[in-house]
Amino acid sequence: MPIINVKMTHEDGGATKEQKEQLAQKLTQAFVEVFKRGEKTCVVTVDEISTDNYAIGGETITNIRKKS
Amino acid sequence: MPIINVKMTHEDGGATKEQKEQLAQKLTQAFVEVFKRGEKTCVVTVDEISTDNYAIGGETITNIRKKS
Amino acid sequence: MPIINVKMTHEDGGATKEQKEQLAQKLTQAFVEVFKRGEKTCVVTVDEISTDNYAIGGETITNIRKKS
Amino acid sequence: MPIINVKMTHEDGGATKEQKEQLAQKLTQAFVEVFKRGEKTCVVTVDEISTDNYAIGGETITNIRKKS
Amino acid sequence: MPIINVKMTHEDGGATKEQKEQLAQKLTQAFVEVFKRGEKTCVVTVDEISTDNYAIGGETITNIRKKS
Amino acid sequence: MPIINVKMTHEDGGATKEQKEQLAQKLTQAFVEVFKRGEKTCVVTVDEISTDNYAIGGETITNIRKKS
């Protein structure tokens, strides 16, 4: 029973319900393909966080986006 | 100083303030009963996540609920 | 299907197998008592970490233990 | 830059290096297919934990395995 | 590429955008000073959680604040 | 009581005890400088993980290191 957590920034209105359904499906498949188990029990959770709350190299994604 | 994190789906309006108080108390007690320490220092955090953001077996809880 | 994670320091040889069994049982019970669900599906994971890798107030548990 | 964390039990000698390489690749692909981004920046981390430290329904995987 | 996560309570209107920018900068610097790497790749994420969802010694921060 | 978690790869024999002491101190200071609280209560935990268990862009750090 693997637990897969995805932490991603909330961009352009956020991930849609359909995208999250697809993501859960595809991540689960990926795990099953490699380990031949977890098909029914694999858990996927998604955390969407503000671009103000995510930084790389000491700079928030909000600010990185402004420059690019 | 154990740190106990609970990740749960946000259902039926979400956990109430009272439920979260009880949960913190009972989880702390559970830890203390087993390890005889942590009574004052045990930390409990609760993450409530949307049923769209939680999937089992590649299917979101939102969709699982619809079928049942 | 709540996911309960316990992060605790590895002390005095570490938690025994029996303690971890009890902990899983008691934490699950605590959740079920409050929310009336999760009896069969509640997941408990335990992370034991070195006292060198856990600090409070800027000081590692290893060093705090030495002083007390 | 999504961060994908996989928490899985350490079974049968643990995941091999090759399995972890494949897993990282496939999970990254899955994310990219859905969101059309993250190809170079997606981070995948894997936590393997003892079957003594993972429980479902209040029972450790170690004990569940014994019964089956 | 260290990943630094900060879990903090949402107090007094929450951390401002400026505070989160500073925090990301300073935590990244701290890591770089110690390990001489990670300057461009260090990731910082911040989770702000309700004082109802954070407890110490079995009591929520909300209730602790009321008493003090 | 902020909780700061650092997830880093285990490189060149791993972080020393002294580095982890310094890291805990500096991260705590960084938090206190920004928020003017947490001096005594800030928790820092460090997870060191194998370069086989950490990937970027679908490739493990182990393999990235080999190429560079």
Side-chain angles (χ1 to χ4, degrees), chain E residues 1-9 11 15-16 19-20 22-23 26-27 30-31 33-35 37 54 56 61 65, chain F residues 1-9 11 15-16 19-20 22-23 26-27 30-31 33-35 37 54 56 61 65:
Chain E
M1 315 72 194
I3 302 171
I4 300 177
N5 175 258
V6 181
K7 199 163 200 164
M8 59 187 289
T9 47
E11 312 257 352
T16 66
Q19 285 175 320
K20 289 187 275 197
Q22 276 179 49
L23 186 66
K26 285 177 187 282
L27 294 177
F31 188 90
E33 280 171 33
V34 179
F35 293 105
R37 58 182 167 99
Y54 194 121
I56 296 178
I61 301 292
R65 292 280 186 273
Chain F
M1 306 81 189
I3 302 171
I4 300 176
N5 175 258
V6 181
K7 198 163 202 164
M8 59 188 289
T9 47
E11 312 257 351
T16 65
Q19 285 176 321
K20 290 187 275 197
Q22 278 179 49
L23 186 66
K26 286 175 186 284
L27 294 177
F31 188 90
E33 279 171 33
V34 179
F35 294 104
R37 59 181 165 98
Y54 194 121
I56 297 178
I61 302 291
R65 291 282 186 272

Side-chain angles (χ1 to χ4, degrees), chain B:
Chain B
M1 306 86 186
I3 303 171
I4 301 177
N5 175 258
V6 181
K7 199 163 202 165
M8 59 187 290
T9 47
H10 187 96
E11 312 257 351
D12 311 322
T16 66
K17 208 170 157 163
E18 286 69 31
Q19 285 176 319
K20 290 187 275 196
E21 286 169 4
Q22 277 179 49
L23 186 66
Q25 246 176 29
K26 286 176 186 282
L27 294 177
T28 301
Q29 272 172 6
F31 188 89
V32 173
E33 279 171 33
V34 178
F35 293 105
K36 316 300 174 206
R37 58 182 168 98
E39 195 160 7
K40 292 195 178 163
T41 58
C42 185
V43 169
V44 174
T45 58
V46 179
D47 297 334
E48 292 173 272
I49 64 175
S50 162
T51 53
D52 289 347
N53 289 20
Y54 194 121
I56 297 178
E59 195 162 15
T60 63
I61 301 290
T62 303
N63 287 344
I64 292 171
R65 291 280 187 272
K66 274 186 200 159
K67 292 182 185 167
S68 63

Side-chain angles (χ1 to χ4, degrees), chain A residues 46-61:
Chain A
V46 179
D47 296 335
E48 292 173 272
I49 64 176
S50 161
T51 54
D52 289 348
N53 288 21
Y54 194 120
I56 297 179
E59 194 162 14
T60 62
I61 302 290

Side-chain angles (χ1 to χ4, degrees), chain A residues 1-11 15-16 18-20 22-23 26-31 33-35 37 54 56 61 64-65, chain D residues 1-11 15-16 18-20 22-23 26-31 33-35 37 54 56 61 64-65:
Chain A
M1 310 80 190
I3 302 171
I4 301 177
N5 175 257
V6 181
K7 199 165 202 163
M8 58 187 290
T9 47
H10 187 97
E11 312 258 351
T16 64
E18 286 70 30
Q19 286 176 318
K20 289 186 275 195
Q22 276 179 48
L23 186 66
K26 285 175 187 284
L27 294 176
T28 301
Q29 273 172 5
F31 188 90
E33 279 171 33
V34 178
F35 293 105
R37 58 180 167 99
Y54 194 120
I56 297 179
I61 302 290
I64 291 171
R65 291 280 187 272
Chain D
M1 306 84 190
I3 302 171
I4 301 177
N5 176 257
V6 181
K7 199 164 202 165
M8 60 187 288
T9 46
H10 187 97
E11 312 257 352
T16 65
E18 286 70 30
Q19 285 176 319
K20 290 187 274 196
Q22 277 180 47
L23 187 65
K26 286 176 186 284
L27 294 176
T28 301
Q29 274 173 4
F31 187 90
E33 279 171 31
V34 179
F35 293 105
R37 59 182 167 98
Y54 194 120
I56 297 178
I61 302 290
I64 291 172
R65 291 281 186 272

